[in-house]
Amino acid sequence: MAPTAPALSRTARTARAAVAWALLGGLLTACGAAGAHGGGRTPGAGGGGTPSRPAAAFPAADGWHDMTRGFGDYFDRHHRASDRLMPAGSIKDVRVRATARAAEARISFTTRSVGKGYAEDAREVARLFGEWRRTVHGDSGVLLLYSPHRPEPFEASW
């Protein structure tokens, strides 16, 4: 009988998933910049690309729905305009899916904040996402926020 690998903790699985998403996001960004596979800043391209929002950082997968345009527009309208470290267009990709227990969401965003400022920006994105989902869809769930400058996701509920 072949030896089995030890079970990974939730933290280890989350860290591995974050690294995988970061690598995949970089690959997709590189493909999009080269114009491959409909990426880049083409309006109506797969992944919800618009002139102000590049195509998806997360790949479209079974059950995941692209909500980038809807939440990105909401964020741009409701986020404090004085925040120069996280200007309009900071929301890069939003994916949501329903599971048997609750909804799940993944958001990729950019910020020039570091340390404590990054956590504050992530909480602000989570707060606005929760407002938007409760107002538009009336649901609740778990949210993972990803940023290219942080290897681990920021987890929140809405």
Side-chain angles (χ1 to χ4, degrees):
M1 179 187 266
T4 59
L8 294 173
S9 69
R10 181 173 184 202
T11 304
R13 287 192 311 268
T14 301
R16 281 188 174 185
V19 169
W21 280 112
L23 291 172
L24 187 54
L27 177 62
L28 291 174
T29 301
C31 288
H37 308 296
R41 297 177 180 265
T42 306
T50 67
S52 64
R53 297 195 187 288
F58 300 127
D62 292 334
W64 288 97
H65 302 282
D66 185 3
M67 303 276 178
T68 306
R69 185 172 294 151
F71 176 62
D73 292 344
Y74 183 89
F75 178 86
D76 291 347
R77 285 192 317 271
H78 293 86
H79 183 61
R80 58 190 180 274
S82 63
D83 188 350
R84 290 179 285 148
L85 297 176
M86 214 172 143
S90 294
I91 303 300
K92 300 303 178 191
D93 193 39
V94 180
R95 300 289 177 178
V96 178
R97 73 175 175 178
T99 65
R101 295 183 318 215
E104 294 178 358
R106 293 179 182 155
I107 297 178
S108 173
F109 72 102
T110 59
T111 179
R112 291 188 302 251
S113 297
V114 295
K116 184 179 175 186
Y118 167 80
E120 290 171 359
D121 286 349
R123 278 191 290 276
E124 175 72 358
V125 171
R127 182 186 70 77
L128 288 171
F129 183 78
E131 277 180 14
W132 177 70
R133 286 296 295 192
R134 284 188 296 275
T135 301
V136 175
H137 299 281
D139 63 0
S140 62
V142 177
L143 172 63
L144 291 175
L145 294 130
Y146 295 88
S147 178
H149 305 293
R150 300 285 293 210
E152 70 281 345
F154 183 91
E155 188 170 345
S157 297
W158 83 84

